[in-house]
Amino acid sequence: MNDVLERLRAEADDSAAYAELLAAAPDALAASLTSAGLPLWARELAAYRLGMAGDRRAFEPLVLLLNHRDPARCAAAAQALGVLGDPRTARAAAALATNSLRTAYALHPVRLLTALRAPESAPALIETLSRLLTPHDPYWRVALACVEGLGALGDARARDVLVRAQAHPRLAQAATEALAGLMAGHPDA
């Protein structure tokens, strides 16, 4: 949490507005999310603080930030969404992870799906990984996160895609480890 707040403080140039949002009550934070003209750092700070407090008014702004091109914003949004506990989170993360037009920004939604361990998690990771197993796909880090996530989830439905992932040099070791975990947890897999 301190890393996120420090990054946002630096973006705000340690302004009075930053200090006000840092001390603001939940209703003031929620109101700031719909205020016109606020900079991105201010919206992120308000959404992050609300999310970390479990206030569901942060859900939509956090999902937008989870889909942002800046990895630090995505990571902060994923952290807050994980704490928020909103039942819509897994469906939103799955939609972002499986969107072929947004694959470059799918790393944090994939990791969030793994952490959530929701019914949507394994199917979304399987779908995303399947799409990324083409030769020379540039999103190997997203594919690796899928492999690691599927290994952590231990879902036997992932067996076939993990076997295919073994053929990719950057994924082979993680896929082999994930498959070994599947076999240990589900000998009939």
Side-chain angles (χ1 to χ4, degrees):
M1 183 171 181
N2 288 335
D3 291 344
V4 173
L5 296 179
E6 184 59 30
R7 176 179 55 79
L8 293 173
R9 184 187 64 73
E11 284 183 36
D13 202 20
D14 210 10
S15 69
Y18 173 84
E20 288 172 21
L21 277 174
L22 193 59
D27 287 341
L29 291 171
S32 72
L33 290 173
T34 58
S35 296
L38 281 184
L40 183 56
W41 67 260
R43 292 187 191 288
E44 182 182 356
L45 178 58
Y48 181 78
R49 285 200 52 226
L50 285 170
M52 295 302 284
D55 190 318
R56 291 195 177 163
R57 293 177 287 185
F59 175 75
E60 290 175 7
L62 287 172
V63 169
L64 289 173
L65 290 166
L66 184 62
N67 194 32
H68 198 275
R69 68 181 173 272
D70 180 355
R73 290 196 201 293
C74 296
Q79 179 187 15
L81 283 164
V83 170
L84 183 60
D86 191 297
R88 300 171 291 176
T89 301
R91 188 175 38 225
L96 294 174
T98 58
N99 184 338
S100 62
L101 300 175
R102 302 293 294 172
T103 304
Y105 312 111
L107 181 63
H108 292 287
V110 163
R111 288 180 177 162
L112 178 58
L113 283 165
T114 301
L116 292 173
R117 304 183 80 78
E120 297 89 345
S121 296
L125 298 184
I126 291 167
E127 179 182 335
T128 302
L129 180 58
S130 293
R131 189 180 71 245
L132 299 176
L133 292 179
T134 58
H136 312 294
D137 189 278
Y139 304 114
W140 66 270
R141 285 181 180 86
V142 175
L144 181 60
C146 288
V147 168
E148 292 169 346
L150 289 167
L153 293 172
D155 191 309
R157 294 175 291 180
R159 184 185 183 290
D160 291 342
V161 74
L162 290 171
V163 167
R164 290 193 344 241
Q166 287 180 302
H168 295 264
R170 290 181 167 166
L171 307 177
Q173 182 177 347
T176 300
E177 290 170 7
L179 281 165
L182 282 182
M183 299 306 274
H186 303 281
D188 55 336

